[in-house]
Amino acid sequence: MPTATLAQANAKTRANPVYIVHRIAILLACAAIFYPGFNPGRITTAINRNVSLFTACISYNSLVSELQRPLARGWVQSSTFVLVMIASIILVLGIVLAAIGGCMSVGNTRMQRKGLIFPLAGSIVMAGGLGGIFMAHAQIVTAANDRVPANFASGFWLYAVLAAVILLTTLLQLASGKGVELEEKMEMKEKYKIFLMFLPILALAFVFSYLPLWGWRYAFFDYKAGGELTAENFVGFRWFTYLFQSDATRADILRVIKNTLCLSGIGIITSWLPMAFAIFLTQVRSKRFRRLVQTFTTVPNFLGWVIIYAVALAIFSTDGFVNTFLNNILHITADANYLMDSSHMWLKMWLWGTWKGLGWSAIIYISSITGIDPTLYEAATVDGAGRFQQMWHVTVPQLSSTFFVMLLMSIANVLSNGMEQYLVFSNAMNRQSIEVLDLYVYNLGIVNGQIPLSTMVGMCKSIISVALLFIANTASKKMRGESII
């Protein structure tokens, strides 16, 4: 068959409704793995409702976290929940096999035909996993213990239907593909290869960035840790007005926002430092010295803030290096605890953050500099430009696009300073000037147990950050003609 005819056949196959249903079923099965409400392994209501199928696969302790007493008393057998875990692993393995076949379905006809083996095997493996979960449920029913009531999870039927759809569509594709001429080798268009390479990043973003948004519903309930969300504790927008009902709470939130904006503002104003550092570093002629400097400035990024605070404690505490040096070497009486002092906290936090992240932030600019056309520097040299003139008139303009992209991202994250740095440096003396919005949310939700209130604050922060991103992007598009969205 001619190449053009094969390409048309491939396009027609990809647009086939059976293939579309096949891929949708696989996609739904992959997404449901991480959603606790669809966990078929919740064979008893004693299992935590927040345990997803994925969690049941990797953590036996999470699966039985609320069953320690029934297991100790012998009301249920641990083998039942071991069976649930093994069956969950088998079920997820079947979904992974089906997902591999779904990825291969975007290739040419030969790849599509070869790829049908995976969803065929995957659907059968999924059925085996569901069978194991059904056996575990039967064991709970047989125990007939009111202390550990049996529960037939609705997610069981979801996965059963998805497995049946995947099996049926696979068989239909196998039957309809008989006699179809195949290419000599398996191939896939470049755009599909790039998409599949990016797919794991999309999955991680979905799991860790978008799936948690389901937790925003706590902002509309009067929820206590360990309780349930019911119509009785639904309070609507009560928490959205709570912070502004009294002078004390208003002053508190205004103080936190001021700290957040000022610290972010200092970061935005000095956001050019990584670019300047990268430019001057690339001008160092000694490669050995340049690599040494880049290594020593990048390593701090990989140190946790707890370690950074330990370094700060060793240097600036009452009996730290600074006071010891002043007392023993210079014979100047000094017993100040610089970490407890609340003065200039914004500047101190900026300095620690810059020291930790400067080298890492400069990497993107260093890579951009290596991509600049050398003929631009040659032309500048012919025109009589010196090293500093070349940096200013060649390097800086070439890095401007990268800088403005990073600047837009900084503006979008103006309310997100992070929490770890301020948490480890926080104490009773400096709390008023160091508590930023992320730390405030942590203190509300984890320390004080006000989960709905902290959820509301975090939710508003996310919405405002997205709005700021679009505003900054629109301004950049009008002023510079470039945007990142």
Side-chain angles (χ1 to χ4, degrees):
M1 185 182 292
T3 304
T5 307
L6 282 172
Q8 293 174 358
N10 292 337
K12 184 177 180 181
T13 301
R14 281 192 289 268
N16 190 316
V18 176
Y19 263 94
I20 294 174
V21 173
H22 180 74
R23 293 168 186 152
I24 291 175
I26 294 173
L27 185 62
L28 289 175
C30 292
I33 291 175
F34 303 98
Y35 184 65
F38 294 148
N39 180 13
R42 193 166 182 260
I43 58 175
T44 170
T45 54
I47 295 178
N48 193 317
R49 64 172 62 248
N50 294 321
V51 174
S52 65
L53 178 62
F54 179 76
T55 305
C57 290
I58 63 174
S59 177
Y60 176 78
N61 290 333
S62 297
L63 187 64
V64 298
S65 60
E66 299 182 7
L67 287 160
Q68 299 303 319
R69 187 164 178 263
L71 287 171
R73 294 292 184 90
W75 298 337
V76 289
Q77 300 299 317
S78 60
S79 59
T80 300
F81 299 97
V82 171
L83 177 59
V84 170
M85 184 175 182
I86 295 174
S88 299
I89 294 173
I90 294 173
L91 179 57
V92 170
L93 178 61
I95 295 172
V96 171
L97 290 173
I100 294 173
C103 293
M104 295 180 68
S105 70
V106 296
N108 61 6
T109 306
R110 176 174 287 276
M111 182 175 287
Q112 291 171 2
R113 299 293 296 176
K114 295 291 185 181
L116 290 176
I117 299 174
F118 292 96
L120 181 63
S123 59
I124 297 173
V125 172
M126 287 175 67
L130 291 173
I133 292 174
F134 184 83
M135 290 173 58
H137 176 266
Q139 292 178 12
I140 293 292
V141 173
T142 302
N145 198 315
D146 293 337
R147 299 183 183 91
V148 187
N151 175 64
F152 196 83
S154 57
F156 183 93
W157 296 116
L158 172 67
Y159 284 101
V161 170
L162 291 176
V165 171
I166 293 172
L167 177 61
L168 179 61
T169 53
T170 302
L171 294 175
L172 289 174
Q173 293 167 43
L174 287 171
S176 63
K178 291 181 178 180
V180 176
E181 186 174 351
L182 304 179
E183 296 86 350
E184 294 182 359
K185 60 180 180 178
M186 296 189 294
E187 291 181 349
M188 184 182 295
K189 287 186 177 180
E190 192 68 25
K191 61 180 181 180
Y192 294 125
K193 292 180 181 179
I194 296 174
F195 172 76
L196 292 178
M197 290 173 61
F198 190 62
L199 191 60
I201 306 300
L202 290 178
L204 290 174
F206 171 77
V207 172
F208 293 105
S209 298
Y210 292 98
L211 192 61
L213 296 181
W214 178 245
W216 280 6
R217 68 191 190 279
Y218 289 96
F220 303 96
F221 291 84
D222 185 12
Y223 175 78
K224 302 296 181 183
E228 295 184 358
L229 302 182
T230 61
E232 287 74 17
N233 57 18
F234 179 77
V235 295
F237 291 93
R238 170 187 167 186
W239 301 114
F240 291 83
T241 59
Y242 174 81
L243 288 179
F244 303 96
Q245 288 178 349
S246 67
D247 295 336
T249 54
R250 278 199 299 270
D252 207 30
I253 193 67
L254 289 175
R255 172 184 58 81
V256 171
I257 291 177
K258 181 183 72 172
N259 293 337
T260 302
L261 293 178
C262 289
L263 283 164
S264 295
I266 295 173
I268 291 174
I269 292 172
T270 58
S271 59
W272 53 272
L273 284 176
M275 182 175 69
F277 176 75
I279 292 174
F280 283 109
L281 185 62
T282 53
Q283 294 299 315
V284 176
R285 297 188 183 278
S286 173
K287 290 185 177 180
R288 181 175 297 178
F289 180 74
R290 185 167 66 240
R291 290 173 181 172
L292 182 67
V293 172
Q294 187 174 358
T295 300
F296 273 93
T297 55
T298 304
V299 166
N301 177 76
F302 300 97
L303 302 178
W305 278 109
V306 174
I307 299 177
I308 300 297
Y309 182 75
V311 173
L313 191 66
I315 298 174
F316 297 108
S317 63
T318 305
D319 56 349
F321 172 79
V322 173
N323 286 337
T324 302
F325 180 81
L326 293 175
N327 289 324
N328 299 336
I329 305 299
L330 301 181
H331 302 290
I332 299 174
T333 303
D335 59 355
N337 190 330
Y338 302 98
L339 297 179
M340 295 291 291
D341 188 6
S342 62
S343 60
H344 310 295
M345 280 308 300
W346 296 343
L347 180 61
K348 293 175 184 177
M349 291 297 99
W350 171 77
L351 286 173
W352 282 111
T354 301
W355 172 74
K356 187 176 187 294
L358 181 64
W360 177 258
S361 301
I363 289 177
I364 188 172
Y365 294 106
I366 294 174
S367 60
S368 298
I369 290 172
T370 58
I372 297 176
D373 190 352
T375 59
L376 296 175
Y377 293 104
E378 296 173 2
T381 303
V382 172
D383 291 339
R387 293 180 68 185
F388 285 97
Q389 290 175 319
Q390 290 179 23
M391 285 189 290
W392 182 253
H393 294 288
V394 178
T395 308
V396 172
Q398 291 295 314
L399 295 180
S400 61
S401 297
T402 303
F403 171 75
F404 278 106
V405 169
M406 302 302 293
L407 181 62
L408 288 178
M409 299 303 294
S410 298
I411 294 174
N413 291 319
V414 71
L415 296 180
S416 300
N417 306 91
M419 180 197 72
E420 295 85 357
Q421 176 185 2
Y422 308 100
L423 177 63
V424 297
F425 279 92
S426 178
N427 55 61
M429 301 296 294
N430 62 24
R431 180 179 178 181
Q432 295 297 313
S433 54
I434 200 177
E435 189 174 28
V436 294
L437 200 56
D438 288 328
L439 181 57
Y440 182 67
V441 171
Y442 171 82
N443 289 331
L444 279 177
I446 304 300
V447 178
N448 299 328
Q450 300 180 3
I451 297 175
L453 189 59
S454 63
T455 303
M456 181 274 297
V457 175
M459 174 177 160
C460 293
K461 187 199 77 169
S462 300
I463 294 173
I464 293 173
S465 297
V466 172
L468 288 173
L469 174 62
F470 280 97
I471 292 172
N473 184 73
T474 303
S476 174
K477 190 173 183 179
K478 290 184 177 181
M479 295 172 61
R480 301 176 55 251
E482 297 180 3
S483 64
I484 60 174
I485 299 179

